[in-house]
Amino acid sequence: MNKEKLLLIIIIIAAFFIRIYNYNYPPLLWDEAALGYNAFSILKTGRDEYGQFLPLIFKSFGDYKPGLYIYLTLPFVGIFGLNLLAVRLPSIILGSLIPLIAYLFTKKHSQNKLLPLLFAAIIALSPFNIHFSRGAWESNILTFQLLLASYFFFNKKYFWSSILFGLTLFTYQSGKLVSLLLIGALFLTNYSKSFFKKDFILKFILPLFIFSLPILAGLLWEKQGNRLEVVSLFSYPRSMEESETIISETSKLDYQLLHNQVIFFSRNFLTRYFNHFSPEFLLTQGDWQSPRHSAPYTGVLLIPSFFFLILGLFTTHYSTKNYSSNNYSSINLFFLLWLLLAPIPAALTRDSLSAVRAMSLSIPLCYFTALGLGIFIDWFGKFKYCKLFVSWLLFLVYLASFVYYTDLYHNHMIKKSPQDWLYGYKEAVEYVLANQKNHEIYFTNFYGQAYIYYLFYSQYPPQNYQEQANLTLNGVDTGVVSKIDNINFETPNFSHIQLLSSNTLAVFSYDDAIRQGIDLKLLTPLSPINNTSTFYGYKNP
């Protein structure tokens, strides 16, 4: 085994260890619980939680989840049972293999042996990739598929590229758009007259068309478009009050020319788009819109990577001229287009920033970081003994930055915002299960979707739940389940509960208790953290 292959194996093993270490951290999220329980339901009954036979799209909370991740989870639930490890393993495994695909992608087209290894190593250590491959995030599976499908396309394996792109439609909602954009980039950077021939149409176009049919049918004739309507930027026009204020400041003509809805939406789109390239997102804050999408006090890149990213982007011509074979310029252009296209699905949503919807952005970010890092090492390689010294210095700098990120992730992330991470659901459900018999139970739904945690941690028999599953939709947003057996999923009313019989049990959130003015000494802390508790239990004496 040569040195290069040994280093690649070390990188992949390190990537896997980083992702599986302390796998039960952070806590289980709503969507993870839903993915796991629906896989459990399919495994036991062949039907989802609502009794639908082997669906491609799962109703879940009314957000109509594409089903690929659930089917990927089936064998792990079958082997390990319904638990956190089984739910997260598909993401951990495929996330660990992304560095391998990145290596293979650049290996064939690069004359420089260092670049493919750097690309693989940067992804293995990337906070962006680590964060979403440690949990059951469909966006991580999507990123793996997009990279592998692009690799196959570059190598003219069009059928396998088409299959993978087709599967993205059943992986994650934003995959429907980002896959289309990326296919356009592949056509542009690999243009060939063969694209118009029968063989290409049969191997690439036809499979994609077949895969898209169920998605189109669901969007047009079923309720699968509801979630798109909820999150779409265009579902939130400027309010009438704001429009009238602008008109009162000038005139209707001024409003129509300079402040109309088209300009309003365009400005909001551009703001959201460029937020994904801001130093705050990349370097210092991460996803400020949602604390659960990144570690606190740092960006989605390791600190040194920001400098080398800039270097890689601004010296692309140098890298093409000195590093590469004739086909390498198309690789550079492809990753540049990927970089520019990846934030578009996120920018078209209501959130000012979304790391999870723009996760595929991590691949071109890591590519140009590796490019800049390689160029930096090559510059110093011209001087005797400098290359080795600079390489070791960079290794130590990256190691220090990675240790800093790891500390923030493992020691501070949950403690900083336990409510955002839904901390304590496991302990709250265990409290209910220990006291469930002969009690009427009120379980707060303050943090949302409490029912799915009960189903998951109790391993509730799917056939029994299918008979009573009843999701109440609130308009077009995600819905709620109000009752399972003797458990009412609603905000407990403390004054009312005190008047009931002694066979009454309640689980409050911290906010429930504060808003109702309950003396916390009367409650049992179920999930203590940061000198408080996210959940409190109460039994009538």
Side-chain angles (χ1 to χ4, degrees), residues 443 445 451 470-472 480-484 487-490:
F443 195 128
N445 207 26
Y451 88 97
N470 182 23
L471 183 80
T472 302
V480 296
V481 171
S482 301
K483 189 176 180 66
I484 300 176
I487 304 178
N488 302 280
F489 296 99
E490 60 183 66

Side-chain angles (χ1 to χ4, degrees), residues 34 37-39 41-42 45-55 57-65 70 449 451-452 455 461-473 477-484:
Y37 188 76
N38 277 280
S41 183
I42 292 287
T45 69
R47 301 175 183 275
D48 74 349
E49 63 181 288
Y50 299 100
Q52 293 298 309
F53 181 72
L54 298 179
I57 305 296
F58 287 72
K59 181 179 177 181
S60 190
F61 308 138
D63 54 353
Y64 294 92
K65 292 177 172 61
I70 292 170
Q449 310 304 345
Y451 88 97
I452 199 66
L455 294 176
Q463 189 169 2
N464 293 353
Y465 180 65
Q466 290 165 14
E467 294 171 356
Q468 58 180 309
N470 182 23
L471 183 80
T472 302
L473 291 173
D477 208 341
T478 53
V480 296
V481 171
S482 301
K483 189 176 180 66
I484 300 176

Side-chain angles (χ1 to χ4, degrees), residues 352-367:
S352 63
L353 181 76
S354 178
V356 65
R357 295 189 185 108
M359 196 219 154
S360 74
L361 178 65
S362 65
I363 300 300
L365 288 175
C366 290
Y367 174 78

Side-chain angles (χ1 to χ4, degrees), residues 267-439:
R267 185 185 67 193
N268 285 345
F269 169 78
L270 291 173
T271 300
R272 286 157 171 75
Y273 179 84
F274 286 109
N275 278 343
H276 293 87
F277 296 107
S278 66
E280 290 84 358
F281 175 65
L282 298 176
L283 191 61
T284 60
Q285 292 186 41
D287 190 335
W288 61 79
Q289 179 79 32
S290 176
R292 73 178 63 144
H293 290 165
S294 59
Y297 313 119
T298 190
V300 296
L301 298 176
L302 293 177
I303 295 171
S305 290
F306 185 75
F307 167 75
F308 295 113
L309 170 64
I310 302 300
L311 182 62
L313 284 169
F314 283 96
T315 53
T316 301
H317 173 71
Y318 169 89
S319 64
T320 302
K321 182 179 178 181
N322 293 277
Y323 270 39
S324 50
S325 64
N326 293 333
N327 197 35
Y328 195 71
S329 58
S330 64
I331 297 288
N332 273 353
L333 177 58
F334 170 68
F335 280 114
L336 181 60
L337 290 174
W338 191 340
L339 183 80
L340 297 174
L341 295 172
I344 290 177
L348 288 171
T349 65
R350 63 187 178 186
D351 298 323
S352 63
L353 181 76
S354 178
V356 65
R357 295 189 185 108
M359 196 219 154
S360 74
L361 178 65
S362 65
I363 300 300
L365 288 175
C366 290
Y367 174 78
F368 286 107
T369 299
L371 206 59
L373 191 58
I375 292 168
F376 187 81
I377 293 172
D378 273 359
W379 282 347
F380 285 93
K382 299 174 183 177
F383 305 99
K384 192 175 182 180
Y385 303 118
C386 276
K387 188 171 185 177
L388 182 62
F389 172 77
V390 168
S391 298
W392 275 103
L393 180 62
L394 288 172
F395 172 77
L396 293 174
V397 169
Y398 261 93
L399 180 62
S401 181
F402 180 72
V403 169
Y404 174 69
Y405 162 72
T406 302
D407 173 69
L408 292 174
Y409 181 91
H410 285 280
N411 297 327
H412 299 276
M413 185 170 68
I414 304 303
K415 293 178 181 177
K416 183 176 185 296
S417 53
Q419 293 186 356
D420 288 305
W421 281 100
L422 310 176
Y423 176 81
Y425 258 121
K426 183 175 185 289
E427 293 78 5
V429 171
E430 288 174 346
Y431 174 76
V432 167
L433 293 175
N435 298 278
Q436 186 172 10
K437 191 175 181 180
N438 299 324
H439 278 87

Side-chain angles (χ1 to χ4, degrees), residues 109 150 153-156 158 184-195 327 330-331 333-334:
H109 306 287
S150 301
F153 195 97
F154 262 85
N155 288 281
K156 304 187 188 312
Y158 297 125
L186 286 166
F187 273 59
L188 181 64
T189 53
N190 293 268
Y191 177 77
S192 169
K193 292 182 179 179
S194 66
F195 292 167
N327 197 35
S330 64
I331 297 288
L333 177 58
F334 170 68

Side-chain angles (χ1 to χ4, degrees), residues 207-241:
L208 268 180
F209 175 73
I210 293 171
F211 270 104
S212 68
L213 289 178
I215 300 298
L216 291 173
L219 291 174
L220 293 175
W221 294 295
E222 297 179 23
K223 296 181 179 180
Q224 295 170 20
N226 284 4
R227 188 61 180 165
L228 179 63
E229 185 178 347
V230 171
V231 302
S232 172
L233 171 67
F234 303 107
S235 296
Y236 301 89
R238 178 185 277 133
S239 67
M240 288 296 298
E241 293 79 6

